[in-house]
Amino acid sequence: MKQLAPTDLAFFDTAPMQVRVSGTVAAPPAAVFAAFADAGGWPRWFPMMHRAAWTRGDGGVGAERTVALRLLGRFEERIIAWTPGVRFAFTMIGSTSPFAAQMAEDYQLAEVAGGTRIDWIMAARPSALGRVGGPALAAISRRLFRGAVPRLARHLRA
């Protein structure tokens, strides 16, 4: 696994590659955040993810987890924002994927009529290979998030 340069929250505004997608689930922000905080539960609702676990701590800023996505690789992540019911963000600190030199994800939650709007940002500084595949990687990322929203909604109803 190669080490990636960690980012901070400002990276979401300055990264050369940004993918932004929103979706709504019929559940309160606290329930959505609780699903995010349950590292081992992500594979039940996030497409292509087959493993996720806390490796340092069990949540909160500075906690770390490892996730694995079919075809995309393994990622080591460090939490950089943890505000229950409001925001869950992490920076990648290691990856087997050859596509990014830096990468982070931000999930912001807002209560709306009938549930929670999730505003998701994937920010990256692509590697040379990632720049070549950038449009395809952005499309895959959008598709993953759009697939995650209804699966998360079903997971929260179960």
Side-chain angles (χ1 to χ4, degrees):
M1 181 167 304
K2 71 176 177 177
Q3 297 304 301
L4 300 181
T7 67
D8 59 18
L9 295 174
F11 188 69
F12 293 108
D13 295 320
T14 62
M17 178 181 180
Q18 298 177 29
V19 177
R20 297 171 182 264
V21 183
S22 295
T24 303
V25 296
V32 174
F33 191 89
F36 291 166
D38 176 17
W42 281 64
R44 291 193 282 278
W45 59 268
F46 198 89
M48 297 175 58
M49 188 177 290
H50 62 94
R51 187 175 59 243
W54 291 112
T55 57
R56 184 173 140 217
D58 60 358
V61 172
E64 296 179 2
R65 69 179 188 170
T66 299
V67 302
L69 283 85
R70 287 179 183 82
L71 306 176
L72 297 177
R74 288 185 305 120
F75 300 88
E76 293 177 350
E77 304 166 342
R78 180 177 297 140
I79 303 298
I80 56 175
W82 180 279
T83 307
V86 178
R87 190 173 196 188
F88 179 91
F90 52 85
T91 180
M92 309 296 184
I93 56 173
S95 177
T96 61
S97 172
F99 299 114
Q102 285 183 297
M103 189 170 164
E105 292 186 32
D106 190 5
Y107 296 79
Q108 295 183 33
L109 310 176
E111 188 169 2
V112 296
T116 301
R117 185 185 73 241
I118 306 167
D119 295 314
W120 174 75
I121 305 168
M122 188 277 296
R125 181 174 318 287
S127 64
L129 183 59
R131 284 190 296 276
V132 171
L137 292 171
I140 290 167
S141 296
R142 280 186 198 91
R143 187 175 196 151
L144 284 174
F145 179 80
R146 288 184 180 131
V149 170
R151 290 173 60 148
L152 176 59
R154 286 191 298 275
H155 173 73
L156 292 170
R157 284 193 304 265

